[in-house]
Amino acid sequence: MRRWIICILCLFLLCSSAEAATLKRGTRGEGVREMQQWLIELGYLHDEADGVFGKKTEAAVKAYQKSVNKKQTGTLTAEQADELMFLWMEITGAMEGDGLGEDELKELYPDGCAWTEAETEYCWRHFELGRLYSLLHYDLPDQAVLLLTERLVPQYEDALMALYDEWSETDPDKAAEEQEKFETFLSEHEEQMVNAYGADSAVVMKDLAVWLHSACVDLCFDLHTAASYE
Ligand SMILES: [Zn+2]
């Protein structure tokens, strides 16, 4: 699974092995500059990436640690720096796809999405969306939420559209009726949200992602999972 990501990580570790030490106040160099760049892009650091780990960088590292429910040490071990890099890659889209073909995915993941008591189980079509969606459970800065939802929302819209198309092959009238119902509901709901929080705000985009996620998982369950229980 995710073989190329592991390859990239290995390359990254090889390239940066000289600076694999813990990044902390007073550390300087390319490793710090790179980490600052990730923190800036995700909205934790409002400064230049100058390669010097100072007070502002330390505060940004703590803010990052707090937002992902980690202990706020203000320092990053090599492993923690990799975790930050992965978050940055996921959110900015530097990491897309896992290089597996559809047949391989079908072997690894169930045919339909399902809700379990503790979490959502994603199918082979939607596991990647689900992985991105799960990042919204962190308390990310608005900038990161916007970056993430700008990618997530259109992908959910496409996924939902594909499900309605699939449904319409067996029951075109019902599919069209339900799709229209959902779209009307969503646009009315969004209008209220936009009036309350402003267009393109992080709150509105996150809310939109939540609704599209639920609709997608529900419909996927109805079309693919429920049938296997019958
Ligand atoms: Zn699914």
Side-chain angles (χ1 to χ4, degrees):
M1 207 167 99
R2 298 203 219 161
R3 270 168 304 192
W4 74 263
I5 294 167
I6 293 165
C7 293
I8 285 183
L9 178 62
C10 292
L11 266 177
F12 181 85
L13 290 175
L14 276 175
C15 295
S16 63
S17 58
E19 338 189 37
T22 295
L23 302 173
K24 55 177 190 281
R25 248 333 245 289
T27 313
R28 287 166 180 259
E30 187 53 27
V32 174
R33 199 199 56 76
E34 212 163 20
M35 175 201 65
Q36 287 172 324
Q37 197 54 47
W38 302 329
L39 291 168
I40 289 168
E41 283 183 43
L42 295 177
Y44 294 105
L45 179 62
H46 307 280
D47 201 9
E48 303 267 302
D50 59 4
V52 181
F53 198 129
K55 217 187 228 179
K56 279 188 182 174
T57 303
E58 188 180 55
V61 167
K62 282 186 181 170
Y64 154 70
Q65 289 171 325
K66 184 172 183 221
S67 74
V68 296
N69 308 318
K70 295 269 161 63
K71 199 172 164 205
Q72 294 178 64
T73 59
T75 66
L76 288 183
T77 62
E79 193 186 328
Q80 289 169 327
D82 286 344
E83 285 171 11
L84 171 60
M85 180 190 68
F86 275 122
L87 184 70
W88 168 80
M89 286 173 94
E90 290 265 41
I91 287 178
T92 59
M95 178 157 75
E96 199 121 40
D98 63 4
L100 295 182
E102 196 173 297
D103 289 342
E104 289 173 289
L105 291 177
K106 283 178 179 173
E107 272 178 35
L108 287 168
Y109 296 92
D111 190 45
C113 290
W115 306 101
T116 67
E117 238 167 75
E119 55 178 359
T120 310
E121 203 177 14
Y122 295 98
C123 72
W124 59 271
R125 298 168 196 79
H126 302 127
F127 75 95
E128 210 166 302
L129 275 175
R131 200 183 67 230
L132 285 180
Y133 180 79
S134 69
L135 299 177
L136 285 175
H137 294 127
Y138 290 136
D139 188 16
L140 300 170
D142 283 359
Q143 193 173 319
V145 171
L146 286 171
L147 275 175
L148 181 58
T149 51
E150 264 166 28
R151 298 174 44 239
L152 196 53
V153 164
Q155 287 186 44
Y156 264 126
E157 284 168 344
D158 288 350
L160 201 52
M161 198 62 76
L163 288 171
Y164 279 116
D165 282 350
E166 207 185 315
W167 192 5
S168 71
E169 281 169 23
T170 52
D171 195 347
D173 293 343
K174 185 76 180 155
E177 187 190 323
E178 290 299 319
Q179 183 172 359
E180 204 189 315
K181 228 194 265 178
F182 177 72
E183 282 171 359
T184 306
F185 160 78
L186 194 62
S187 70
E188 285 172 3
H189 172 74
E190 281 309 300
E191 205 181 305
Q192 290 173 358
M193 288 295 289
V194 167
N195 286 338
Y197 298 100
D200 300 324
S201 68
V203 180
V204 170
M205 290 302 287
K206 189 171 173 175
D207 174 76
L208 187 54
V210 170
W211 281 101
L212 288 168
H213 159 84
S214 301
C216 194
V217 173
D218 279 348
L219 189 49
C220 187
F221 178 87
D222 289 345
L223 292 180
H224 305 119
T225 311
S228 66
Y229 289 152
E230 280 163 9

